Amino acid sequence: ARAADRAGRLPDLLLQINTGSEPQKAGALPEEADAFITLCRTRFGASVRGLMCIPPEGTDPMPHFTLLADMARAHGLPVVSMGMSGDFEQAIAAGATHVRVGSAIFGARPAADPAAPTPLRDESRPG
């Protein structure tokens, strides 16, 4: 928000909904989504263009896709970003306007080394 205020403009925004209520994922919980969407639209106006979700791994994604598409429709949001390489066809059938198919194009990601520093947690630097 501060960067947008400095630039005097906002990019198109997609709000993440944590349709599976997974504690390790970000995003508004389904029961809080309507209030969150309303709050964001009040703050950011027409820049809020849609919703996005990533269903829990190993579950049927359709209930999550349907929930997200229904929420977007109820709020008059035109963009529904859901579905990845393994389930994009189901996402499109449920109403996705955007899908993420990186591993279908670039291959699987290498397994992460849990001891490796990350950009947010680089233990080699003090402070």
Side-chain angles (χ1 to χ4, degrees):
R2 287 189 299 268
D5 287 342
R6 283 192 302 272
R9 64 179 178 83
L10 282 169
D12 287 345
L13 303 173
L14 301 182
L15 307 177
Q16 184 171 331
I17 307 300
N18 185 346
T19 59
S21 301
E22 296 177 273
Q24 76 278 15
K25 288 186 180 170
L29 298 173
E31 62 272 15
E32 300 167 352
D34 288 332
F36 179 66
I37 294 164
T38 299
L39 175 72
C40 290
R41 291 184 92 182
T42 298
R43 169 65 175 92
F44 301 111
S47 290
V48 176
R49 302 282 298 143
L51 304 178
M52 62 177 286
C53 77
I54 301 173
E57 199 170 338
T59 65
D60 178 6
M62 281 305 283
H64 300 274
F65 295 158
T66 301
L67 174 64
L68 195 75
D70 289 346
M71 282 183 191
R73 195 171 16 265
H75 287 274
L77 296 169
V79 178
V80 183
S81 176
M82 56 189 183
M84 295 192 285
S85 295
D87 57 17
F88 72 90
E89 291 168 331
Q90 291 173 284
I92 292 168
T97 60
H98 293 66
V99 295
R100 297 174 298 278
V101 291
S103 63
I105 297 168
F106 301 109
R109 292 182 184 185
D113 176 359
T118 66
L120 298 177
R121 181 184 57 86
D122 185 345
E123 295 169 358
S124 67
R125 290 191 227 169

